Amino acid sequence: MQRAFDYVVVGSGSAGCVLANRLSENGKYSVCLLEAGPPDRYMWIHIPIGYGKTMFHKVYNWGFYTDPDPNMLNRRLYWPRGRTLGGSSSINGLIYIRGQRADYDHWAALGNPGWDWDACLPYFRRLEHNDLGAAPTRGTGGPLWASSIRTPHPLVDAFIASGERLGVPRVDDFNNGAQEGVGYYQLTTRNGLRCSTAVAYLKPAKKRANLTIETNAHAARILFDGSRAAGVRCQRGGETFDVRASREVILSAGALQSPQLLQLSGIGPAAALRELDIPVVRDLPGVGQNLQDHLQIRLIYEVNRPITTNDQLNSLWGQARIGLQWALARSGPLAVGINQGGMFCRALGDESATPDTQFHFATLSADQAGGSVHPFSGCTYSVCQLRPASRGTVTLASRDPLAAPKIQPNYLSDELDRRTVVAAVKFARRVAQTEPMRAWMAREHRPGQDVRTDEEILRFCREYGATIFHPSGTAKMGPADDPMAVVDARLRVRGVAGLRVVDGSIMPTLVSGNTNVPIVMVAEKAADMLLEDAAAAR
């Protein structure tokens, strides 16, 4: 099988679905979207609380593991990534967050013109339909919904009130650029259903004659004519087939698999490629470097009244009740997922000019994200440092395109990160012990009252810390004089033609918060760049 298109997009995740829609929208160009996983027909993808069902799914989740991390007691950490139409936007926690103005202004200051907050804001507004209504920093009428949680929960209300008592202002909108505050999150849901990028962008475009979607098609390597990307070689079962691109190949496989595919194709650190007998197309030492992720630390408390989602899920009557709520009114716990309460604060106080810590507050508890809930009434305070200084790597384990890459996150390898997570745990404890939250707390289940000193808290973070699913930075955007830059400010891979990376890989530094919406923005902006360049080439 060999077919030719104007554009070939690898990966149908948060970025790939956007590109498939926007590049095919005017009818001028043919687009092929390649997805290694199956279609998104699994029921639990579309029910928001189904996050727990997809967390360890063998078909819809890549289920990666890191290498043993020496900074995390040599633990191998589980890293879920979406493997279906919509990618990780089909299995994530649905939190609608952009990050801070300072994040994007910093990207521009690093030598990436056009990526400051003011330049990105029109794309944030274009992509969204926000039920808070239009505003200078909000959009309506876009494909991706930002839905407010309409039914309050007494625990979340108490969490918000306690945050206010500690000096964090209550807000309804975390996405105006300032971010600091405490309140209910908005979610990427629409009428009680998940609004993934497959739903928001791909579904409306599926019937276009100029868009071809190939599922169960695993990209094995990029094909080159000299130094120009000319297509993609794919595997499906025992079959190998090529898909040609007359204009460009675009990698949107994510921060783990885009750098993996670049390296498999001969683009990356030359010495490492030669060790695996991979012919070098372009020596780019930054490919697979600069890996960043948010490390979540989960504090679990027992609640003294049976009002938590634990209680509902541990009772057949409770399960039936929340099932009926969703079936009849698209409301209740099934419609809002796991985390409802949010906070962006400065755990390090005046040392941080902007919020350095994010809270995800959940009215349930489990030993791990997506795990079985505890038998007691429970809630979870999940905290993460927003701008980690630690850097990791994604490298090849072998030349086999079906083999998982080697992932070394190097969490907590930087002193700032260690100080921040300790301060964040202390701040979470302050919230739990501040009225009105204190009145609901029966006991601290984890880490427990015997963990008190900074050293004990840090060991707890090393023992129980886990990804909050935001890997980024492994094909970073940067100027020509940055030897570790992989793409330029128009997301073109340096030193080759006809090849771009459009996903979380290109972030030079991690944004302050959840990465789904920022990646959608990157893809919206990249689509304009691609269409502008195509028009200029005519």
Side-chain angles (χ1 to χ4, degrees):
M1 175 182 175
Q2 182 165 324
R3 301 183 63 185
F5 301 86
D6 290 308
Y7 297 101
V8 175
V9 181
V10 180
S12 71
S14 296
C17 289
V18 178
L19 292 169
N21 180 308
R22 295 304 191 194
L23 295 178
S24 65
E25 195 170 26
N26 62 16
K28 294 180 181 179
Y29 306 112
S30 57
V31 180
C32 181
L33 178 65
L34 300 172
E35 169 54 45
D40 57 336
R41 296 185 185 128
Y42 183 49
M43 175 186 72
W44 287 106
I45 287 174
H46 302 285
I47 299 175
I49 208 170
Y51 164 81
K53 297 284 189 181
T54 57
M55 178 63 68
F56 301 98
H57 202 285
K58 299 297 185 184
V59 174
Y60 297 99
N61 197 317
W62 286 99
F64 292 121
Y65 280 88
T66 71
D67 286 358
D69 190 331
N71 307 290
M72 302 294 287
L73 308 182
N74 281 316
R75 294 162 54 215
R76 296 179 69 232
L77 284 80
Y78 179 65
W79 277 26
R81 306 303 297 159
R83 185 179 177 273
T84 184
L85 297 178
S88 292
S89 78
S90 289
I91 69 165
N92 69 6
L94 304 135
I95 307 299
Y96 196 100
I97 289 294
R98 294 175 177 174
Q100 300 172 13
R101 168 186 282 273
D103 298 331
Y104 302 95
D105 290 348
H106 182 55
W107 287 7
L110 291 173
N112 299 297
W115 289 95
D116 58 281
W117 169 264
D118 288 336
C120 292
L121 182 57
Y123 293 98
F124 277 125
R125 296 187 73 232
R126 182 169 87 177
L127 69 87
E128 80 177 14
H129 177 72
N130 197 309
D131 68 2
L132 293 176
T137 58
R138 285 198 302 268
T140 56
L144 192 67
W145 280 44
S147 297
S148 302
I149 296 172
R150 297 299 184 187
T151 305
H153 191 287
L155 271 181
V156 182
D157 288 343
F159 169 77
I160 294 168
S162 293
E164 286 186 283
R165 284 201 172 189
L166 292 173
V168 183
R170 177 164 188 159
V171 298
D172 294 320
D173 182 0
F174 288 116
N175 293 306
N176 60 9
Q179 194 184 61
E180 190 162 14
V182 59
Y184 281 89
Y185 279 123
Q186 288 187 296
L187 307 175
T188 52
T189 59
R190 179 177 181 176
N191 300 327
L193 292 165
R194 176 185 293 274
C195 188
S196 68
T197 54
V199 171
Y201 284 89
L202 201 56
K203 188 176 180 180
K206 276 184 175 180
K207 293 184 179 179
R208 293 175 188 163
N210 61 328
L211 174 61
T212 298
I213 302 168
E214 295 284 351
T215 54
N216 298 303
H218 189 108
R221 66 182 176 91
I222 304 160
L223 303 173
F224 286 91
D225 288 340
S227 62
R228 181 175 187 84
V232 178
R233 179 152 294 166
C234 300
Q235 296 179 359
R236 180 188 282 135
E239 175 192 23
T240 297
F241 62 94
D242 294 346
V243 181
R244 308 293 292 189
S246 61
R247 290 187 178 273
E248 296 198 38
V249 174
I250 306 154
L251 302 189
S252 298
L256 305 183
Q257 287 156 296
S258 282
Q260 179 188 22
L261 187 56
L262 285 170
Q263 292 173 79
L264 287 168
S265 307
I267 299 176
L273 299 180
R274 291 190 183 107
E275 285 181 7
L276 291 172
D277 294 323
I278 296 174
V280 177
V281 173
R282 178 68 178 180
D283 179 15
L284 283 181
V287 174
Q289 305 298 302
N290 193 48
L291 173 63
Q292 299 156 66
D293 185 36
H294 288 134
L295 178 70
Q296 71 165 322
I297 312 298
R298 302 169 72 247
L299 290 82
I300 296 168
Y301 281 75
E302 184 174 350
V303 177
N304 58 24
R305 274 164 274 186
I307 61 164
T308 71
T309 310
N310 286 19
D311 302 293
Q312 294 168 308
L313 294 176
N314 285 325
S315 155
L316 290 176
W317 165 243
Q319 292 178 32
R321 183 171 177 270
I322 63 176
L324 282 171
Q325 273 184 287
W326 185 83
L328 298 176
R330 292 291 189 265
S331 64
L334 270 67
V336 296
I338 306 299
N339 297 293
Q340 299 182 44
M343 185 191 301
F344 293 88
C345 63
R346 287 178 279 180
L348 291 176
D350 292 340
E351 182 179 341
S352 298
T354 63
D356 54 36
T357 296
Q358 179 180 8
F359 277 73
H360 293 80
F361 179 77
T363 61
L364 60 70
S365 66
D367 285 337
Q368 59 183 326
S372 299
V373 299
H374 290 126
F376 52 80
S377 304
C379 67
T380 303
Y381 303 75
S382 170
V383 293
C384 71
Q385 177 193 11
L386 286 171
R387 293 177 298 280
S390 301
R391 296 291 185 269
T393 58
V394 175
T395 55
L396 294 181
S398 77
R399 296 176 58 181
D400 181 1
L402 299 180
K406 296 175 65 177
I407 306 164
Q408 178 50 262
N410 285 325
Y411 289 124
L412 301 180
S413 56
D414 189 273
E415 174 62 21
L416 174 64
D417 299 1
R418 296 191 288 271
R419 289 196 300 110
T420 307
V421 296
V422 170
V425 169
K426 289 179 174 179
F427 197 95
R429 283 176 154 174
R430 288 178 63 197
V431 175
Q433 291 304 309
T434 298
E435 295 293 351
M437 202 66 186
R438 181 172 183 170
W440 294 96
M441 300 294 96
R443 67 181 180 93
E444 184 179 280
H445 174 73
R446 183 178 291 170
Q449 293 303 313
D450 56 334
V451 176
R452 304 308 307 172
T453 67
D454 287 3
E455 292 75 17
E456 290 167 342
I457 293 171
L458 181 58
R459 177 160 182 101
F460 160 70
C461 294
R462 296 188 194 278
E463 185 174 0
Y464 289 102
T467 179
I468 206 163
F469 326 123
H470 301 156
S472 305
T474 50
K476 80 168 186 174
M477 173 173 57
D481 59 1
D482 181 351
M484 299 303 286
V486 176
V487 300
D488 65 13
R490 294 186 75 80
L491 309 188
R492 299 171 295 202
V493 175
R494 294 195 173 278
V496 296
L499 181 63
R500 299 194 204 214
V501 179
V502 181
D503 58 26
S505 305
I506 65 91
M507 295 181 178
T509 52
L510 187 53
V511 295
S512 301
N514 311 76
T515 51
N516 174 229
V517 175
I519 291 169
V520 174
M521 179 278 295
V522 167
E524 285 273 15
K525 189 171 172 63
D528 270 7
M529 292 175 176
L530 282 151
L531 294 172
E532 289 166 2
D533 290 352
R538 286 204 303 267

